[in-house]
Amino acid sequence: MVGGAGLLLGFLPNSCRVALSHASLVPRIGCITKVCASVPPGVSRWDPRPVRTLHHTPPLCAGHNKWSKVKDVKIPRDRARARMMQKLTMMIRVAVREGGPNPEFNVNLAQVVEQCRNNSVPKVTIDNAIKGAEKSKTGTQHLYEVRGPGGFMALVEILTENNKRSNQEIRYLLNKHGAAVCDGAHYSFSKKGVVMAARGDMSSDQALELAIEAGAEDVQETEDEEERAMLQFICGTTEMRGVREALEKLGVATVQSGLEYVPTASVPLAEDQLRDAHMCLEAIKDYPDVVRVWDNIQAQD
């Protein structure tokens, strides 16, 4: 400490050297500087004058923090896109295993490929996924029936090559977030054909009229992964292609179509219950073997 003080005094003017020679170099609290006991007579032991701090490191410069934008925006967006592409690849594997690698003769595969294109998945990735599905190990597909926090029901579709591991980890995730496997949850859903379309400036009455004219059973408002307003036209599983063609003839810009589990009875949840349900569903969706998740949650007004 003495050597450091001497080195510091060597760089200061004579007036500062004299002032510092009467006081020890000790930490200062607020605006009060404590002076050591060997202060000359007539000099106060406490100096109330403001003191300027000496920095041994260069000050941080203000400016644009690019890392905060990367950390808060780009990284979560890239992670969500990577998860989406992984799910689509798994859906291709399921479709190829059920109906073969030719989209012309495999309706489910054609729908998944179309969904990949709508999400800007490169053609090379799609082709590699189809080829890889033929060469990969034969996985098994399961549908878990789940009762979540607040009493909502959910169906979880998984594709796995290790049934025991997936079963244990899925049950652990459910238990961790206040959910559990529940037989009979599928009674709250019905398998339907769903045609997705951009809503645009269309009103609810106009959408309902189009649904009736196209032969759909119902139309519901929803949002896609980018929170854009969408309409889903619900119909029977065998009428899906006809409904989509009819909507396109009526000038509706359809985005995709596929078979989905549509809830027949919704469960209203309060705000705190919605928070718990959202955490539970996100944890399930993040599990690598999960392909799709359906729920019957309805937000309370």
Side-chain angles (χ1 to χ4, degrees):
M1 181 68 184
V2 176
L7 181 62
L8 179 62
L9 290 174
F11 289 94
L12 297 176
N14 292 331
S15 58
C16 295
R17 296 181 193 177
V18 174
L20 288 174
S21 63
H22 295 290
S24 62
L25 296 176
V26 295
R28 302 184 177 195
I29 305 175
C31 295
I32 307 298
T33 305
K34 187 174 181 179
V35 184
C36 66
S38 58
V39 176
V43 179
S44 174
R45 292 180 176 271
W46 296 93
D47 188 356
R49 292 173 297 177
V51 178
R52 184 175 180 179
T53 306
L54 293 176
H55 295 279
H56 295 281
T57 57
L60 297 175
C61 299
H64 298 288
N65 191 348
K66 294 183 179 180
W67 168 244
S68 63
K69 295 181 179 179
V70 172
K71 176 173 62 70
D72 298 332
V73 179
K74 188 176 185 302
I75 290 180
R77 184 182 301 168
D78 291 346
R79 187 183 297 115
R81 176 167 176 79
R83 186 168 63 235
M84 176 198 66
M85 293 184 67
Q86 181 184 15
K87 303 299 183 186
L88 291 173
T89 302
M90 295 176 67
M91 292 171 66
I92 289 176
R93 289 179 55 190
V94 173
V96 171
R97 185 172 63 87
E98 292 179 347
N102 192 341
E104 296 181 1
F105 303 103
N106 188 340
V107 178
N108 291 336
L109 178 60
Q111 293 170 355
V112 176
V113 169
E114 182 183 6
Q115 188 175 351
C116 292
R117 291 170 180 168
N118 293 332
N119 287 279
S120 302
V121 178
K123 184 176 183 300
V124 176
T125 304
I126 298 174
D127 294 339
N128 291 338
I130 295 176
K131 294 177 182 177
E134 296 178 296
K135 300 177 182 179
S136 63
K137 296 180 181 179
T138 303
T140 56
Q141 190 175 4
H142 300 278
L143 189 67
Y144 281 82
E145 302 177 56
V146 174
R147 179 183 178 88
F152 77 89
M153 299 296 178
L155 299 178
V156 181
E157 181 184 13
I158 72 167
L159 178 66
T160 179
E161 298 173 357
N162 190 328
N163 295 329
K164 184 177 180 180
R165 181 207 64 202
S166 298
N167 182 59
Q168 291 177 347
E169 294 180 354
I170 286 290
R171 290 177 180 272
Y172 169 77
L173 286 174
L174 294 175
N175 183 63
K176 181 179 179 181
H177 292 87
V181 174
C182 173
D183 293 336
H186 69 277
Y187 292 116
S188 299
F189 299 85
S190 179
K191 197 168 189 178
K192 295 288 185 179
V194 177
V195 180
M196 298 289 292
R199 178 170 184 174
D201 298 330
M202 194 184 307
S203 65
S204 300
D205 294 336
Q206 292 174 335
L208 184 58
E209 292 176 2
L210 288 172
I212 296 173
E213 191 171 352
E217 299 175 1
D218 193 9
V219 59
Q220 298 177 355
E221 300 176 5
T222 184
E223 292 181 347
D224 61 4
E225 295 181 353
E226 298 181 0
E227 298 184 353
R228 293 176 298 188
M230 305 289 291
L231 293 172
Q232 55 180 12
F233 295 88
I234 302 171
C235 59
T237 56
T238 58
E239 289 84 21
M240 182 176 60
R241 178 175 294 183
V243 169
R244 181 168 186 175
E245 292 176 354
L247 288 171
E248 291 177 349
K249 289 180 180 178
L250 293 171
V252 179
T254 60
V255 177
Q256 65 186 45
S257 59
L259 301 179
E260 305 280 347
Y261 285 98
V262 178
T264 57
S266 300
V267 175
L269 297 182
E271 184 177 354
D272 56 338
Q273 294 174 326
L274 280 173
R275 191 182 308 110
D276 295 338
H278 175 74
M279 293 177 62
C280 177
L281 292 175
E282 287 299 312
I284 296 173
K285 292 176 182 178
D286 286 340
Y287 184 68
D289 291 345
V290 172
V291 180
R292 288 176 292 185
V293 178
W294 299 272
D295 65 77
N296 65 343
I297 296 175
Q298 179 183 3
Q300 279 186 349
D301 296 331

